[in-house]
Amino acid sequence: MAEPRLAVRRRNRSSSERKRSRAPVQPIAASSPVARKRPSPGGEGPPAETPGSNDSDEDMFGDYDSFYENDSLIAQVDDIEHKYLQDKNMDVKAAGEVVLGNLQSGVHQKEQDNFSASTNVVDLKSDKEGACQMCDSDSAAGNQELTESILDDLPSSQLLYFEKRDELSSATRTSPVLKGRDEPVNSSLDKVRDPLSFCAGAEHRNRPTDSSSHSKCVLFKTESLKDHLKSAMTGNARAQTLQVSKTKQLKEAVLSEEMFVARKAIESSSVDIGPFYGLPSKVKDLFRQLRGIETLYEWQHDCLMLESLQQRKNLIYSLPTGGGKTLVAEVIILQELLCRQKDVLMILPYVAIVQEKVWIQGLSSFGIELGFLVEEYAGSKGRFPPIKRRVKKSLYIATIEKGHALVNSLIETDRIDDLGLVVVDELHMLGEGSRGAILEITLAKILYTSKKTQIIGMSATLNNVGDLQKFLQADYYTNNFRPVELKEYIKIRDTIYAVDSNTENGFVFSRLLNFKYSSNLEKADPDHIIALVTEVIPKYSCLIFCPTKKSCENVASLVCKYLKKEFRAHREKEKQDLIKNLKSIGNGTVCPVLKQTIPFGIAYHHSGLTNDERKSIEETYSSGVLCLLACTATLAAGVNLPARRVILRSPYVGNDFLKKNQYKQMIGRAGRAGIDSAGESILIVQEKDKHLVQDLVHSPLENCYSNLLLELTKGMQSLLLSLVGLKIAVTHEEVDNFMCCTLLGVQQQLLSKEKSLSEIIKDGLENLIEKGLLKGRISEKEHNSKSALTITPLGKATYKGSIDLAYCNLLYRELKKGLEGLVLESSFHLLYLSTPYDMTFTCSPDWMIYFRQFNQLSTAERKVADIVGVPESFITKKASGQAIRKNVDNAVVNRLYLTFVLYSLLKETNIWSVSEKFNMSRGYVQNLLSSAASFASCLLHFCEELEEFWVYKALLTELTKQLTYCVKTELIPLMEVAGVLEARAKQLYNAGYKTLAHLANANPETLVRMIEHLSRRQAKQIVSSAKMLLNEKAEALQEEVEELLKVPTDIPGTH
């Protein structure tokens, strides 16, 4: 068995098989058969013609006369033919049967000895499929399908030759002599067309012969079978070519064959798993074309060849940031989709990363080329349960919350086994608050309900791996590989120290800063940021991580203020284009700080930017137009933007001291693979923090602990409710058994010291019964009570809508109250109901703005304020600074204020103008809009489960769409395409691209010419995303049609 390699692996033939009378030609998978038959330029010429050769025409094939690169094959045919022709008493047709039978067996023997993607795939596929079909030769329908599939794979010239042959044979039926000359060749061709005739036609061949058969026998004796085969092949070569791309046909045949081989290899768990880790070589080509990846790192190869992956065990693997973890996951995902034909779920921590994975990293392009669907589950996007595809498989790319809802819907519809693989990026998120609790719940449900679903987890920052291994029942792989060496430094005053764990205090002197500071500059920049930055920019890129959003803007302004004017000349035109682009995004307005800093190649990056602005800044930084970004810590965990040098402005994030995990994430951005020879990080430290930083740099990573107990309503109680609702566990005993499969179950001795886990479960179930979400009784004396619990309609609506249990009863009351007097003159009342509860804590109303907005409401809209409990008098007194005696719920007041913001957004569809009107950052307004769209989607699912709220369904469907895109109606079809935001949608619409079909069928080159500031890469991504979305919609409609036309199996009177 061949040793697998990083490149496309082929099994080499033995030296005896490779011997030729001329120089060997290297086989190539996708080359044409004729090309392989030619002698190599430097090889020997064809040998002299052998005596006795009676070829009347020029021999086009020289001495290379085998379909399967075995020059002894036709010699065997000659030997067998002469042997049987010497026996005068043998029936000639029986001789033909033996000859062709031996020919067939020779071919299959060759397949077994030398099965490789580099052989003639078209011929190989025909024989392989023919061999499979022979096992079921009793099925006539199978034979017909086989013939059709073989005809599909034959070259166009051969197809035309068959047509010509049929015409000739029908025209010359009256001429016995001509018929006698033609039919031997045709009969051999029939056997090429239908491999089953080699054995299944035996009965036909043994029938008594007539006079025409006699003439065939005479010709069969007098002419060599070798001549007939050569004659047929010559005819094929000379036949007129159909107007079909031969290259395309060959490529399709290669892809189809390699996928068949890969699937078989995966099923057999063989070590030699085919061309590219069990995948078609086209996958390797796509990684080269779309990502520029030529070869895999050694660790990636080792990881993909792990025994645990071959046996489909769960796996956790950990490497430093930038080590190439994602590529390994993508290869495993493609194996699952293409070879095992199962759906895959990929869980990512943030919406921005989901969109990047779908759009920027081109998984949509992979889907279009390889025939699977990519579905985005983020924000308000995603269908529950997902459409059940009959043919194509789906890759679901989801946030943590949407991934949980998706898994719930698959369990509920008994489709969890359709999910062959779950991949979790940033597995350390298990230990981070409510989102960690939701991720733990999701993985525990998969482990408990499906024994066929494999789980792969990856992270750069894992410590207590043993607990995670026990929780996920997984093997572990780790490696310290980084494609670019990372050098860590800290700076105290004007001295830079290298981090060295071998020294006593952990630091060793490196150098002094060589930069002359004036007294004014020293006051403005006491941390010497300008000195550190100018050592690398503009030639190389640099990131400065700052503790707050305001600090980001201040640092960007400071640096450009003291830079020399020469910095403005670096790629000046492209920087001016960026400012124009930002101006169009802001409808004529650009942030004053960005307007000042961008000419120097500097920008800030934090959550205060809109999605459009962030994307534009990220793209220009990646292309080298911007050389310095001042950013918050969220960029380290979010978008992948590496740099030559990373500077940490302070060892704090907000007011909290830096954690080791955060530190590792930030410095991990230093060093760009393929560009930099090394990356360096510099942490700026004040003398007072020196000892804290020593501990930080040399301490281990933080442990990952379960958050199910800390996050009660989103953790433990939410889990208990959905367990009963999904019927995973409906008794106290069953719930106890399930909890042993959670991370909390593994760590219960550490986390639940005061109460046992069983007692915590009992308290949780009783609390849910009190809230009216569950029905049943928990026995006081017997913990392992076997009395079954059931879920109430409100409980079912709560878990299916992914509603926080802290708000479910309040939400129900507000919706019920709305039914009594829902104001439908505008969307204001519905918007209030769709405003997320958790955003109210971050809101501080400006009372004068509140008062002005209230006065602009119509009489009907003012009733909404009264219904929800915010009287006009309260707002008036607040605005005028008067004392308030009446108690009003602050959460309701703040929620109504946010509703005014959303109402203005829907009317104006301009984040810039709304953020100025309410004196809020545009990033906050954007976040409010995204959260409202997501909550409206949850609210819709909540109402779908409660019959009494039927009226809300249609209203919320439309509102969710408006909040998701917040643009004019005509732009919504374009905004559905991943990567197309409002500014780009306007450009496309104005250029005439008004529908999804327009984009899916667009020429990327034409898009680049017509759309300003659109790169060729972006144009290709937009087109591929549009094609993927169009395919999804078409597939969904087709599935619906097939479902409608399907004949029911339980029609009365049919049995």
Side-chain angles (χ1 to χ4, degrees):
M1 183 171 286
E3 192 66 23
R5 297 196 299 259
L6 296 186
V8 177
R9 297 177 300 287
R10 299 185 176 93
R11 205 180 290 158
N12 294 324
R13 289 169 287 168
S14 65
S15 58
S16 62
E17 287 176 322
R18 287 197 302 269
K19 286 179 183 176
R20 296 280 185 274
S21 57
R22 55 183 179 82
V25 180
Q26 183 68 27
I28 302 172
S31 64
S32 69
V34 175
R36 277 198 302 242
K37 289 165 188 167
R38 296 191 189 113
S40 61
E44 300 169 16
E49 188 170 285
T50 53
S53 173
N54 58 353
D55 292 350
S56 57
D57 294 326
E58 179 188 354
D59 190 347
M60 297 177 67
F61 307 102
D63 65 337
Y64 192 71
D65 45 14
S66 167
F67 285 107
Y68 296 93
E69 304 181 22
N70 187 345
D71 51 7
S72 65
L73 190 59
I74 288 187
Q76 291 173 28
V77 171
D78 281 339
D79 290 344
I80 295 166
E81 181 185 7
H82 289 307
K83 178 182 175 184
Y84 282 96
L85 286 177
Q86 285 169 6
D87 187 353
K88 302 292 184 183
N89 299 323
M90 175 166 283
D91 179 75
V92 176
K93 291 205 170 191
E97 179 184 342
V98 175
V99 169
L100 290 168
N102 276 278
L103 175 62
Q104 171 92 357
S105 63
V107 168
H108 285 300
Q109 183 61 40
K110 186 66 181 171
E111 274 185 48
Q112 293 168 7
D113 293 343
N114 185 26
F115 188 76
S116 167
S118 62
T119 60
N120 184 336
V121 176
V122 176
D123 291 336
L124 184 58
K125 182 178 178 184
S126 300
D127 279 316
K128 188 166 184 67
E129 291 182 358
C132 295
Q133 290 287 342
M134 280 183 217
C135 301
D136 303 313
S137 58
D138 56 307
S139 168
N143 296 353
Q144 179 64 27
E145 286 175 16
L146 175 68
T147 306
E148 288 173 2
S149 69
I150 292 170
L151 284 172
D152 286 343
D153 290 331
L154 286 174
S156 53
S157 60
Q158 188 144 342
L159 294 173
L160 186 62
Y161 188 79
F162 289 152
E163 291 172 16
K164 295 288 185 189
R165 185 208 66 184
D166 291 340
E167 288 172 16
L168 285 170
S169 62
S170 61
T172 58
R173 276 179 191 142
T174 54
S175 172
V177 177
L178 190 57
K179 183 176 179 181
R181 288 183 63 82
D182 286 344
E183 283 200 14
V185 178
N186 293 345
S187 65
S188 68
L189 283 172
D190 285 336
K191 289 173 177 60
V192 175
R193 289 179 72 178
D194 186 7
L196 292 176
S197 64
F198 290 160
C199 59
E203 183 185 341
H204 172 74
R205 288 193 294 270
N206 288 332
R207 289 176 186 165
T209 57
D210 56 15
S211 58
S212 63
S213 301
H214 178 69
S215 65
K216 285 186 205 171
C217 296
V218 173
L219 284 165
F220 202 99
K221 291 176 184 178
T222 57
E223 291 187 54
S224 165
L225 178 61
K226 177 178 176 180
D227 294 339
H228 290 308
L229 286 170
K230 284 194 176 182
S231 176
M233 292 161 75
T234 305
N236 289 346
R238 289 177 176 170
Q240 181 184 349
T241 306
L242 287 171
Q243 295 302 309
V244 179
S245 168
K246 179 87 172 283
T247 308
K248 186 178 179 183
Q249 285 186 334
L250 283 169
K251 281 182 178 177
E252 286 174 355
V254 169
L255 179 62
S256 177
E257 173 63 18
E258 288 184 346
M259 286 173 85
F260 178 80
V261 173
R263 208 170 291 147
K264 287 293 179 190
I266 290 284
E267 286 168 5
S268 64
S269 298
S270 169
V271 178
D272 187 4
I273 56 175
F276 181 66
Y277 300 98
L279 292 164
S281 55
K282 186 171 184 178
V283 173
K284 193 167 191 279
D285 296 337
L286 286 171
F287 277 120
R288 187 184 298 114
Q289 292 165 23
L290 300 173
R291 307 276 184 82
I293 296 170
E294 293 287 342
T295 55
L296 273 65
Y297 296 130
E298 187 177 346
W299 85 263
Q300 291 171 327
H301 171 70
D302 292 344
C303 188
L304 286 167
M305 299 306 296
L306 287 173
E307 191 67 28
S308 53
L309 283 182
Q310 310 304 318
Q311 296 174 7
R312 298 199 78 245
K313 291 181 181 177
N314 296 342
L315 177 71
I316 299 169
Y317 64 99
S318 176
L319 277 98
T321 301
K325 297 184 293 295
T326 305
L327 180 61
V328 170
E330 286 172 348
V331 172
I332 298 168
I333 285 168
L334 292 174
Q335 287 175 344
E336 197 69 32
L337 289 164
L338 303 179
C339 304
R340 297 191 182 93
Q341 292 288 299
K342 291 279 190 179
D343 295 329
V344 176
L345 169 60
M346 188 176 200
I347 299 176
L348 302 169
Y350 305 109
V351 174
I353 305 180
V354 169
Q355 292 168 344
E356 182 187 17
K357 187 65 67 180
V358 173
W359 187 62
I360 296 171
Q361 294 189 12
L363 283 176
S364 292
S365 301
F366 278 86
I368 290 162
E369 293 292 332
L370 298 170
F372 62 86
L373 298 170
V374 178
E375 301 184 41
E376 182 183 336
Y377 278 74
S380 61
K381 292 184 178 178
R383 189 190 294 238
F384 304 102
I387 297 170
K388 187 173 176 66
R389 314 282 182 185
R390 292 174 188 273
V391 183
K392 289 188 177 180
K393 296 301 164 188
S394 291
L395 167 58
Y396 310 114
I397 304 182
T399 56
I400 291 170
E401 294 78 9
K402 289 289 179 179
H404 179 224
L406 179 67
V407 167
N408 279 348
S409 69
L410 290 173
I411 293 171
E412 187 175 33
T413 53
D414 292 323
R415 287 169 51 194
I416 190 65
D417 284 339
D418 291 350
L419 203 60
L421 173 69
V422 175
V423 174
V424 182
D425 196 5
E426 310 295 355
L427 188 64
H428 61 269
M429 290 287 290
L430 275 168
E432 296 188 15
S434 61
R435 308 190 78 222
I438 294 168
L439 181 58
E440 181 181 346
I441 291 168
T442 306
L443 295 175
K445 284 177 181 173
I446 293 165
L447 287 164
Y448 194 82
T449 58
S450 174
K451 302 303 175 191
K452 297 180 181 178
T453 305
Q454 184 182 19
I455 296 174
I456 305 288
M458 52 181 169
S459 175
T461 54
L462 288 177
N463 191 31
N464 56 331
V465 179
D467 286 353
L468 300 181
Q469 276 187 269
K470 197 171 178 184
F471 165 44
L472 295 176
Q473 302 155 36
D475 287 356
Y476 179 57
Y477 175 88
T478 187
N479 196 305
N480 290 321
F481 172 81
R482 268 186 63 92
V484 178
E485 182 190 0
L486 173 62
K487 298 174 181 176
E488 291 181 54
Y489 300 97
I490 68 160
K491 186 191 84 67
I492 302 173
R493 297 194 189 92
D494 61 349
T495 308
I496 293 179
Y497 300 90
V499 174
D500 186 354
S501 56
N502 296 323
T503 59
E504 187 178 342
N505 65 357
F507 305 133
V508 62
F509 174 81
S510 177
R511 64 187 173 94
L512 289 171
L513 275 177
N514 183 23
F515 190 88
K516 293 179 181 177
Y517 266 67
S518 65
S519 57
N520 286 339
L521 185 53
E522 188 71 46
K523 287 177 187 175
D525 181 25
D527 293 326
H528 308 103
I529 291 171
I530 293 166
L532 295 172
V533 162
T534 50
E535 287 178 346
V536 287
I537 67 167
K539 188 178 179 182
Y540 300 107
S541 58
C542 181
L543 292 175
I544 304 177
F545 285 105
C546 304
T548 64
K549 288 186 281 190
K550 191 63 182 171
S551 175
C552 292
E553 296 177 28
N554 292 341
V555 165
S557 297
L558 169 74
V559 173
C560 77
K561 190 175 178 182
Y562 289 96
L563 285 181
K564 295 177 182 177
K565 290 184 179 178
E566 291 82 62
F567 281 89
R568 297 177 71 103
H570 178 73
R571 301 180 73 166
E572 189 172 7
K573 183 184 179 302
E574 287 143 295
K575 288 186 284 198
Q576 288 304 318
D577 286 343
L578 172 59
I579 291 174
K580 285 179 191 173
N581 191 25
L582 291 173
K583 199 170 184 178
S584 69
I585 288 168
N587 286 334
T589 311
V590 181
C591 168
V593 176
L594 291 175
K595 195 172 183 180
Q596 175 200 0
T597 62
I598 285 172
F600 290 90
I602 299 167
Y604 65 83
H605 184 291
H606 58 58
S607 60
L609 294 168
T610 66
N611 290 343
D612 277 319
E613 289 173 319
R614 267 207 299 270
K615 191 168 286 296
S616 294
I617 287 168
E618 287 163 9
E619 286 169 355
T620 45
Y621 174 81
S622 296
S623 63
V625 176
L626 296 177
C627 53
L628 172 66
L629 288 186
C631 50
T632 51
T634 51
L635 183 135
V639 185
N640 183 23
L641 294 176
R644 172 66 173 266
R645 176 176 287 180
V646 169
I647 300 168
L648 280 70
R649 172 79 177 72
S650 159
Y652 290 88
V653 174
N655 296 321
D656 301 323
F657 195 78
L658 203 61
K659 292 179 181 176
K660 184 60 179 273
N661 288 352
Q662 293 171 320
Y663 174 72
K664 281 289 186 185
Q665 287 273 12
M666 291 181 196
I667 67 170
R669 296 295 172 207
R672 297 163 300 170
I675 300 173
D676 299 326
S677 55
E680 52 191 28
S681 69
I682 301 173
L683 171 58
I684 298 172
V685 181
Q686 305 303 320
E687 192 70 49
K688 64 182 177 67
D689 292 325
K690 185 176 177 182
H691 294 296
L692 290 173
V693 169
Q694 282 178 328
D695 292 340
L696 168 73
V697 169
H698 299 294
S699 65
L701 293 161
E702 287 84 10
N703 285 337
C704 184
Y705 292 116
S706 170
N707 277 273
L708 284 181
L709 295 182
L710 295 175
E711 299 291 334
L712 196 59
T713 57
K714 287 187 178 179
M716 176 63 85
Q717 289 188 6
S718 175
L719 171 58
L720 296 175
L721 180 65
S722 61
L723 287 180
V724 176
L726 294 168
K727 298 183 174 62
I728 296 172
V730 294
T731 67
H732 191 173
E733 185 179 5
E734 288 173 353
V735 174
D736 279 351
N737 292 337
F738 177 91
M739 293 305 294
C740 295
C741 298
T742 62
L743 182 59
L744 175 62
V746 172
Q747 298 174 333
Q748 58 182 298
Q749 279 77 27
L750 291 170
L751 302 179
S752 54
K753 293 176 181 177
E754 295 177 5
K755 287 184 178 181
S756 70
L757 189 55
S758 184
E759 287 174 324
I760 292 168
I761 292 166
K762 179 176 175 291
D763 292 346
L765 291 171
E766 286 175 345
N767 188 272
L768 292 173
I769 292 169
E770 281 175 29
K771 284 184 176 179
L773 303 175
L774 290 181
K775 284 191 295 188
R777 211 161 53 85
I778 305 296
S779 171
E780 290 293 330
K781 296 179 181 178
E782 193 181 341
H783 287 328
N784 293 331
S785 168
K786 295 189 178 181
S787 59
L789 297 163
T790 56
I791 195 162
T792 64
L794 177 60
K796 189 174 183 183
T798 300
Y799 92 78
K800 290 197 78 171
S802 302
I803 304 295
D804 188 339
L805 269 64
Y807 306 117
C808 62
N809 291 99
L810 174 62
L811 177 62
Y812 178 80
R813 288 196 301 271
E814 289 189 329
L815 289 169
K816 190 83 173 169
K817 196 173 184 180
L819 289 179
E820 297 169 11
L822 188 63
V823 178
L824 294 176
E825 181 186 88
S826 69
S827 58
F828 188 67
H829 197 167
L830 271 177
L831 275 173
Y832 174 79
L833 295 172
S834 303
T835 303
Y837 291 102
D838 52 4
M839 292 286 286
T840 59
F841 303 111
T842 58
C843 173
S844 299
D846 182 313
W847 296 106
M848 283 307 297
I849 295 172
Y850 209 147
F851 180 69
R852 280 199 298 270
Q853 291 298 312
F854 189 89
N855 284 336
Q856 290 172 18
L857 294 177
S858 68
T859 307
E861 288 169 339
R862 290 187 188 196
K863 286 180 184 175
V864 176
D866 287 330
I867 291 169
V868 301
V870 183
E872 184 179 356
S873 59
F874 173 82
I875 299 170
T876 307
K877 285 180 181 179
K878 274 286 188 182
S880 60
Q882 295 178 37
I884 307 292
R885 292 177 184 175
K886 188 178 179 181
N887 286 330
V888 177
D889 189 341
N890 279 335
V892 175
V893 172
N894 291 357
R895 195 168 178 222
L896 186 65
Y897 187 68
L898 293 177
T899 304
F900 278 114
V901 179
L902 292 169
Y903 191 43
S904 296
L905 270 172
L906 288 191
K907 286 195 291 187
E908 298 178 33
T909 69
N910 186 327
I911 288 173
W912 266 90
S913 63
V914 171
S915 63
E916 286 174 6
K917 183 188 289 185
F918 287 88
N919 197 22
M920 293 175 166
S921 78
R922 55 198 184 280
Y924 180 84
V925 174
Q926 176 102 63
N927 186 36
L928 171 63
L929 183 64
S930 302
S931 298
S934 185
F935 186 66
S937 172
C938 294
L939 194 57
L940 174 60
H941 294 304
F942 180 88
C943 292
E944 282 174 344
E945 295 303 318
L946 295 167
E947 191 74 29
E948 61 199 294
F949 294 147
W950 64 270
V951 72
Y952 286 113
K953 294 177 194 174
L955 296 170
L956 286 168
T957 302
E958 189 57 35
L959 184 68
T960 302
K961 190 179 282 190
Q962 288 179 29
L963 288 168
T964 300
Y965 301 112
C966 193
V967 291
K968 291 177 181 175
T969 310
E970 64 265 22
L971 296 181
I972 288 178
L974 302 178
M975 293 279 287
E976 288 180 331
V977 177
V980 176
L981 298 174
E982 184 180 1
R984 185 74 75 212
K986 285 177 180 174
Q987 285 180 310
L988 291 166
Y989 189 85
N990 293 334
Y993 296 95
K994 299 184 178 182
T995 67
L996 187 60
H998 282 151
L999 279 185
N1001 294 286
N1003 183 332
E1005 298 298 328
T1006 310
L1007 279 177
V1008 172
R1009 284 199 308 272
M1010 295 182 72
I1011 308 297
E1012 271 192 304
H1013 316 302
L1014 184 70
S1015 68
R1016 189 167 280 100
R1017 181 178 64 88
Q1018 291 167 332
K1020 287 178 179 176
Q1021 287 167 344
I1022 286 172
V1023 172
S1024 68
S1025 292
K1027 279 181 181 173
M1028 174 58 69
L1029 189 56
L1030 200 63
N1031 284 350
E1032 271 182 42
K1033 293 194 172 189
E1035 286 270 336
L1037 290 171
Q1038 202 166 346
E1039 300 282 349
E1040 201 173 325
V1041 168
E1042 288 181 14
E1043 193 64 36
L1044 283 170
L1045 296 178
K1046 193 166 71 175
V1047 179
T1049 54
D1050 56 349
I1051 300 172
T1054 55
H1055 298 294

